[in-house]
Amino acid sequence: FAERLITVTAMDQEAQAGPQIQTGTVMGNWAWNQPGPMTSTSSSDGCGPERRHVQYVRFPRRFRRAPSTVNITGFSGLAISGDATRLFCEVSDVDDVGFNLTFKTWGGTIVSTAHASYIAIL
């Protein structure tokens, strides 16, 4: 009985603490058409090569455990060439310390800088 009481008390304390929310903005600054951190692969949709940059993002403060939600709230990039601006952002590998953020472009688009804002909720 005492063991169950301790478990319930710990859960109650965490529930009373409420959700933890953290936000931030990640800035990337690179030339997408240069060798370096970008990985180039073939595109399966016929739109030309796909280029991606994966960047680890550390939360400002460590969470008690991995957040249940990490969403991109907005992103933009500056295209320096290409017939259209193509930019995609994706979150992966979330833990209590941070996550991987992937910036991706394809076709003739060359992006010189990009940024993304996020919200993480426990």
Side-chain angles (χ1 to χ4, degrees):
F1 177 75
E3 191 174 301
R4 171 116 172 101
L5 180 61
I6 291 169
T7 302
V8 170
T9 302
M11 287 171 38
D12 287 343
Q13 287 172 346
E14 188 168 308
Q16 289 173 2
Q20 277 188 297
I21 300 172
Q22 295 186 45
T23 62
T25 299
V26 181
M27 180 66 97
N29 212 351
W30 55 85
W32 289 78
N33 63 340
Q34 300 297 316
M38 295 302 298
T39 301
S40 184
T41 59
S42 295
S43 175
S44 59
D45 60 6
C47 290
E50 179 180 283
R51 291 162 303 285
R52 61 180 59 222
H53 172 73
V54 180
Q55 184 170 334
Y56 186 75
V57 179
R58 188 176 291 276
F59 295 123
R61 294 174 316 282
R62 186 178 193 146
F63 281 96
R64 293 187 299 267
R65 63 179 181 279
S68 56
T69 302
V70 178
N71 286 329
I72 300 299
T73 58
F75 64 92
S76 67
L78 176 61
I80 57 175
S81 74
D83 54 355
T85 300
R86 300 172 187 95
L87 182 64
F88 177 78
C89 288
E90 179 176 53
V91 170
S92 63
D93 303 322
V94 179
D95 62 20
D96 60 332
V97 178
F99 61 94
N100 282 331
L101 177 64
T102 301
F103 291 101
K104 180 175 92 169
T105 188
W106 60 95
T109 302
I110 299 172
V111 177
S112 63
T113 109
H115 77 273
S117 297
Y118 68 88
I119 183 168
I121 303 171
L122 175 64

